[in-house]
């Protein structure tokens, strides 16, 4: 008999009842150190008092009002995002997938309004993940994502990772309207796109007018030690998707865009009942207030250095388990010689939570405000988890 929850997830046999900072408490009272943070969602940890205050204050005043009316919390958050990024405007969604849908529509509408409606094609990259909607699975195109869900939305071409010649050739096609990439691939196995490649993409787009779309759903909002990951490369996209960390655990996403890219999205071209609702935006505005601070991002970079160094040590101590460390900031991946799920499972035994990814990687995406001593504790738990897997392997 089918379970009462549609069984699309492979769930661990763990159930949490309470959270505080980087800690999660299970039903049996055991406390777990959370290095997954809801897959890069709980950017400021669990039950962050500032976010609880922002949420409950808003909840006591007004939960929901339609986008038929002005929403002050939404305006505050929009101003903060625009004021702290390349963007001139933004649209709020409830998730990364919905941001993906709008990014695709925006790119196509742009070329429609610029007299080249044939430029509908969007180039994407092997290993990418942009969500589970019809557009998002077509963008990724793998059998794993698309099998049985056809006919697929047309107009996407997937390119091999790092094949610059194939990219240049594909980008020259007259129907290409946009290039879509995660500056750091998340689900694909924590693969950062080198800065010079992001710059190269910007150049290719500038040559042909092609729109550059960054998916910063997982790597944005301070995760890499800058507010947005592309800032490290010193270039900017035309359109960017964000979600996950922006709501600190409350469902919220957004598309940020330049005026030029967004101008064709006039009244009536897009909308959402809940997107940008007062509760989400009150929390999002507080997250931005905290994360966009230089001192906070300095802290992320310091903790990232500590964690990375510790992980390098872990790799050296367990050469049978690990191949190396990769990633950026507090978005780090342990490339494994063992099955990643086995390491994640061993982590449960040591009460430390990690997340598997593709390419034989285990992801570490802790809350951005994790402390130095919590990182030390995380490293010793990971060390013990690796010893469990290593001894099993031996
Ligand atoms: C890079 C990236 N884009 C898009 C998505 C989809 O976001 P959501 O699950 O909020 O719809 C995800 C989710 O993991 C993601 O990592």
């Amino acid at each position: 008999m089918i379970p009462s929850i549609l069984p699309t997830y492979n769930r661990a046999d763990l159930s949490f009842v309470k959270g505080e900072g980087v800690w999660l408490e299970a039903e049996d009272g055991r406390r777990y150190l959370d290095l997954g943070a809801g897959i890069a969602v709980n950017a400021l940890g669990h039950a962050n008092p500032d976010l609880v205050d922002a949420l409950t204050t808003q909840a006591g005043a007004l939960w929901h009002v339609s986008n038929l009316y002005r929403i002050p919390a939404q305006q505050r958050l929009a101003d903060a995002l625009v004021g702290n990024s390349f963007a001139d405007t933004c649209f709020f969604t409830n998730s990364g997938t919905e941001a993906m849908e709008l990014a695709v529509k925006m790119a196509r509408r742009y070329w429609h309004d610029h007299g080249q409606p044939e430029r509908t094609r969007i180039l994407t990259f092997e290993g990418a993940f942009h969500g589970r909607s019809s557009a998002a699975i077509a963008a990724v195109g793998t059998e794993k994502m698309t099998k049985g869900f056809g006919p697929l939305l047309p107009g996407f071409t997937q390119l091999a990772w790092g094949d610059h010649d194939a990219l240049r050739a594909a980008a020259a096609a007259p129907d290409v309207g946009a290039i879509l990439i995660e500056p750091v691939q998340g689900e694909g196995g924590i693969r950062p796109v080198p800065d010079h490649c992001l710059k190269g993409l910007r150049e290719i787009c500038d040559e042909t007018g092609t729109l550059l779309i960054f998916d910063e759903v997982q790597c944005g909002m301070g995760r890499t030690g800058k507010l947005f990951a592309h800032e490290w490369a010193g270039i900017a996209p035309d359109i960017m998707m964000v979600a996950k960390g922006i709501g600190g655990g409350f469902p919220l996403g957004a598309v940020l865009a330049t005026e030029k890219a967004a101008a064709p999205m006039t009244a009536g071209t897009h909308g959402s009942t809940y997107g940008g609702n007062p509760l989400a935006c009150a929390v999002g505005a507080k997250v931005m207030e905290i994360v966009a601070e230089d001192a906070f991002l300095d802290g992320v970079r310091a903790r990232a250095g500590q964690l990375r160094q510790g992980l390098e040590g872990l790799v050296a101590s367990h050469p049978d388990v690990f191949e190396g460390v990769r990633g950026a900031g507090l978005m780090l991946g342990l490339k494994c010689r063992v099955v990643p799920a086995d390491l994640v499972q061993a982590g449960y035994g040591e009460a430390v939570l990690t997340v598997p990814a593709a390419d034989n990687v285990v992801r570490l995406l802790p809350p951005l405000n994790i402390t130095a001593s919590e990182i030390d504790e995380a490293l010793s738990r990971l060390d013990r988890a690796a010893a469990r897997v290593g001894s099993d392997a031996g």
Side-chain angles (χ1 to χ4, degrees):
M1 205 172 72
I2 192 162
S4 58
I5 296 176
L6 189 71
T8 59
Y9 300 107
N10 281 317
R11 296 177 196 270
D13 187 20
L14 282 171
S15 173
F16 298 106
V17 291
K18 198 166 178 287
E20 189 183 3
V22 299
W23 297 95
L24 277 174
E25 191 179 311
E27 272 176 332
D28 62 1
R30 195 170 188 215
R31 278 161 60 84
Y32 289 73
L33 187 46
D34 185 8
L35 301 181
I39 318 188
V41 167
N42 302 95
L44 298 175
H46 298 280
N48 180 288
D50 290 328
L51 301 192
V52 171
D53 182 54
L55 180 65
T56 50
T57 302
Q58 182 63 52
L62 181 68
W63 282 32
H64 178 78
V65 63
S66 166
N67 280 306
L68 289 169
Y69 312 106
R70 286 191 285 129
I71 300 176
Q74 190 181 117
Q75 187 64 55
R76 257 200 336 275
L77 178 55
D79 290 346
L81 286 166
V82 165
N84 283 282
S85 74
F86 72 96
D88 301 311
T89 189
C90 63
F91 180 95
F92 293 106
T93 66
N94 308 286
S95 67
T97 305
E98 289 167 72
M100 165 70 182
E101 290 293 317
L102 173 55
V104 170
K105 280 179 69 175
M106 193 181 276
R108 291 186 170 169
R109 181 76 179 208
Y110 175 88
W111 288 114
H112 170 272
D113 281 27
H114 282 75
Q116 292 180 267
E118 70 285 359
R119 292 184 74 168
T120 54
R121 184 159 301 283
I122 298 177
L123 304 181
T124 63
F125 294 86
E126 171 258 318
F129 184 82
H130 303 296
R132 298 285 193 160
S133 65
S134 295
I137 63 172
V140 168
T142 55
E143 196 191 353
K144 184 176 167 217
M145 294 284 280
T146 62
K147 190 175 171 192
F149 300 126
L152 298 179
L153 186 70
F156 295 95
T157 297
Q158 295 82 26
L159 301 172
W161 179 262
D163 186 343
H164 295 177
D165 293 339
L167 168 63
R168 285 214 163 262
D175 66 342
V176 170
I179 298 177
L180 165 62
I181 193 164
E182 294 156 84
V184 184
Q185 272 191 355
E187 307 298 312
I190 311 293
R191 294 199 291 183
V193 181
D195 288 351
H196 67 271
C197 295
L198 288 181
K199 285 195 181 109
L201 281 172
R202 183 68 268 175
E203 279 166 25
I204 288 172
C205 287
D206 287 345
E207 281 162 21
T208 53
T210 297
L211 296 169
L212 184 57
I213 308 175
F214 286 158
D215 180 344
E216 295 223 12
V217 167
Q218 195 163 144
C219 65
M221 290 308 295
R223 177 102 346 237
T224 65
K226 289 210 187 262
L227 186 57
F228 297 111
H230 68 265
E231 292 172 23
W232 290 103
I235 49 102
D238 303 290
I239 300 171
M240 178 171 73
M241 298 135 61
V242 292
K244 290 189 180 275
I246 189 180
F250 202 93
L252 178 63
V255 172
L256 277 64
T258 61
E259 181 169 8
K260 188 173 174 216
M265 298 301 298
T266 50
T269 55
H270 200 63
S272 164
T273 294
Y274 289 120
N277 78 80
L279 292 174
C281 289
V283 178
K286 182 52 80 176
V287 171
M288 263 301 281
E289 198 182 305
I290 296 169
V291 173
E293 278 292 319
D294 286 342
F296 182 87
L297 293 169
D298 286 346
V300 174
R301 292 194 284 268
R303 295 290 81 77
Q306 180 196 354
L307 180 57
R308 186 161 194 138
Q309 199 176 17
L311 293 176
E312 299 284 2
L314 199 69
V315 170
S317 313
H318 301 277
D320 51 335
V321 178
F322 301 118
E323 215 176 297
V325 185
R326 65 196 196 197
L330 286 174
M331 185 173 183
L332 293 171
L334 282 164
K335 171 93 172 160
C336 297
R337 294 189 199 282
V338 296
V339 178
D342 290 350
L343 184 72
V344 173
Q345 189 66 37
Y348 297 151
E350 298 298 337
V352 61
L353 304 180
T354 58
V355 184
D359 201 28
N360 239 42
V361 164
V362 168
R363 271 178 283 182
L364 308 177
L365 307 153
L368 303 179
N369 54 359
I370 189 170
T371 64
S373 60
E374 287 163 345
I375 287 182
D376 286 341
E377 180 60 33
L379 287 165
S380 38
R381 291 181 187 219
L382 289 171
D383 185 49
R384 294 198 298 271
R388 282 179 183 236
V389 177
S391 58
D392 285 355

